[in-house]
């Protein structure tokens, strides 16, 4: 008899302690413990939660923002490294599957930073290190693209889980790659984006993306988005009143949990800090799949084929490594 997992999911909506990795990891550990006390088996954190998002790419010229890049690089996370070890220990002690975004420092170059999602098992094992495939728009000033080696679905205590960062959740082929590996739980990590064009409702955009992936794939999505604290506004904007007004824009963040019919399982959280909880029963994915399964009977693989390059890309391959 097939026994599909039932569990409580927790979507964290919070601001980092900006550009302070130690304090941000401490905050993450406290939130993991809080979620575990509420019975969570899966805890999802925002994109680049440790130690924050490079908003200066949107509010400054590249020359003005360059010292901020250095500041972020110095505060970034080594994978593996001590901050990752702390997060692994927190997941193990709480008994939760953890997805959390970090700025990952490049090992081979001072000009390389990755927008990375860590997937950590309930036993503390580091299951996945997914580097965002394509930095979005102004983000290209900060992050180096990842590669296809990390487009993986992980077998976890809460079921087959995949994760994508922010705009990747609109990349149809990336999403299909996860669905075709049997994904039933999707972690979608975002940042608050008050710096988007004025006619762009970030909260609505996040909800639409989550609903689309859930309805197409007949699965559950746990959405976690960051917020912007007053301390962050002071640091980023200083005395620039236009930037301060921009960063205070409403409906720039949404966190929530969506089911296989595309609807929110519970009320989502907009803009404010907090944790959204919902009960997930993966058994709810079975009957919708019978009706409409785009990675199974409702497709024509004799007509459509997706080829994914899943080899890690490296700047240097030495002769002895090719042997």
């Amino acid at each position: 008899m097939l026994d599909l997992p039932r569990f409580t999911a927790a979507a964290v909506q919070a601001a980092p302690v900006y550009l302070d990795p130690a304090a941000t990891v401490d905050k993450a550990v406290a939130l993991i413990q809080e979620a575990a006390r509420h019975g969570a088996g899966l805890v999802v954190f925002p994109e680049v939660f440790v130690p924050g998002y490079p908003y200066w790419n949107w509010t400054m010229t590249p020359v003005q923002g360059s010292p901020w890049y250095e500041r972020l690089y110095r505060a970034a996370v080594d994978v593996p490294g001590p901050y990752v070890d702390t997060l692994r220990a927190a997941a193990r002690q709480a008994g939760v599957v953890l997805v959390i975004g970090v700025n990952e420092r490049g090992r081979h170059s001072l000009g390389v930073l990755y927008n990375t999602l860590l997937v950590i098992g309930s036993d503390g094992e580091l299951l996945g290190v997914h580097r965002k495939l394509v930095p979005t728009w102004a983000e290209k000033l900060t992050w180096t693209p990842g590669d296809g080696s990390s487009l993986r679905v992980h077998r976890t205590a809460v079921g087959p889980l995949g994760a994508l960062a922010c705009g990747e959740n609109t990349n149809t082929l990336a999403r299909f790659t996860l669905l075709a590996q049997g994904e039933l739980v999707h972690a979608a990590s975002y940042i608050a984006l008050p710096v988007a064009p004025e006619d762009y409702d970030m909260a609505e955009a996040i909800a639409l993306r989550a609903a689309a992936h859930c309805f197409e794939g007949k699965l559950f999505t746990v959405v976690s988005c960051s917020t912007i604290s007053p301390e962050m506004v002071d640091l980023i904007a200083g005395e620039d009143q236009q930037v301060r007004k921009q960063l205070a824009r409403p409906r720039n963040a949404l966190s929530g949990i969506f089911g296989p019919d595309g609807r929110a399982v519970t009320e989502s959280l907009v803009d404010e800090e907090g944790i959204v909880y919902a009960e997930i029963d993966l058994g709810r994915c079975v009957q919708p799949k019978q009706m409409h399964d785009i990675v199974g009977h409702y497709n024509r693989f004799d007509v459509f084929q997706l080829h994914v390059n899943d080899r890690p890309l490296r700047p240097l391959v030495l002769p002895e490594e090719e042997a």
Side-chain angles (χ1 to χ4, degrees):
M1 179 73 72
L2 177 64
D3 186 19
L4 292 167
R6 296 185 179 192
F7 61 94
T8 299
V12 174
Q13 184 155 287
V17 183
Y18 202 53
L19 301 182
D20 187 333
T24 303
V25 167
D26 286 345
K27 181 173 182 176
V29 169
L31 289 166
I32 291 166
Q33 294 169 343
E34 178 183 345
R37 289 194 295 270
H38 284 81
L42 169 66
V43 185
V44 180
F45 277 82
E47 179 185 24
V48 290
F49 187 69
V50 187
Y53 182 82
Y55 287 103
W56 55 86
N57 287 345
W58 303 83
T59 64
M60 301 179 186
T61 69
V63 173
Q64 291 169 329
S66 186
W68 290 83
Y69 171 87
E70 179 175 351
R71 190 169 176 179
L72 178 62
Y73 188 91
R74 291 180 181 275
V77 172
D78 291 322
V79 181
Y83 294 127
V84 177
D85 290 343
T86 298
L87 293 168
R88 291 176 59 197
R92 181 176 64 252
Q93 292 164 6
V96 303
V97 177
L98 173 64
V99 179
I100 186 167
V102 302
N103 287 275
E104 179 192 356
R105 187 162 37 223
R107 291 288 183 147
H108 67 282
S109 171
L110 298 177
V112 172
L113 273 176
Y114 296 108
N115 177 330
T116 297
L117 288 176
L118 305 177
V119 180
I120 299 172
S122 55
D123 59 356
E125 181 182 354
L126 181 60
L127 301 175
V129 179
H130 173 62
R131 294 165 172 171
K132 190 174 184 178
L133 292 173
V134 182
T136 304
W137 204 352
E139 295 172 358
K140 293 178 175 67
L141 291 167
T142 292
W143 292 316
T144 298
D147 59 46
S149 65
S150 61
L151 283 175
R152 293 282 187 255
V153 169
H154 307 282
R155 268 53 196 176
T156 74
V158 298
L161 180 145
L164 294 174
C166 202
E168 290 187 310
N169 291 284
T170 62
N171 187 322
T172 303
L173 300 184
R175 295 191 296 105
F176 187 88
T177 299
L178 298 181
L179 293 175
Q181 295 176 64
E183 183 187 46
L184 291 179
V185 184
H186 182 71
S189 296
Y190 288 86
I191 48 87
L193 195 65
V195 291
E198 290 185 5
D199 61 350
Y200 191 83
D201 186 321
M202 183 63 172
E204 181 181 24
I206 291 172
L208 284 170
R209 294 172 186 182
H213 190 58
C214 286
F215 189 82
E216 289 175 3
K218 305 299 183 279
L219 46 59
F220 288 86
T221 291
V222 182
V223 177
S224 171
C225 188
S226 61
T227 60
I228 297 178
S229 67
E231 292 78 14
M232 289 171 63
V233 174
D234 289 341
L235 191 61
I236 298 163
E239 299 303 317
D240 190 323
Q241 295 306 311
Q242 180 59 35
V243 174
R244 297 184 76 87
K245 179 181 177 182
Q246 192 176 23
L247 294 176
R249 178 177 157 187
R251 294 189 58 78
N252 65 78
L254 178 144
S255 296
I257 298 164
F258 295 76
D261 57 3
R263 297 189 178 100
V265 175
T266 188
E267 185 176 357
S268 298
L269 186 62
V270 176
D271 291 342
E272 301 299 325
E273 285 209 6
I275 303 178
V276 179
Y277 299 95
E279 298 302 313
I280 287 180
D281 177 4
L282 295 188
R284 285 184 54 199
C285 301
V286 177
Q287 290 186 22
K289 282 277 194 181
Q290 182 199 18
M291 177 180 68
H292 180 251
D293 183 5
I294 64 171
V295 295
H297 62 80
Y298 203 77
N299 213 323
R300 285 289 303 276
F301 299 114
D302 56 333
V303 178
F304 306 110
Q305 288 186 330
L306 174 61
H307 295 266
V308 178
N309 179 3
D310 65 352
R311 293 175 299 175
L313 301 181
R314 296 183 292 171
L316 176 67
V317 179
L318 298 172
E320 59 267 25
E321 295 175 329
E322 294 182 304

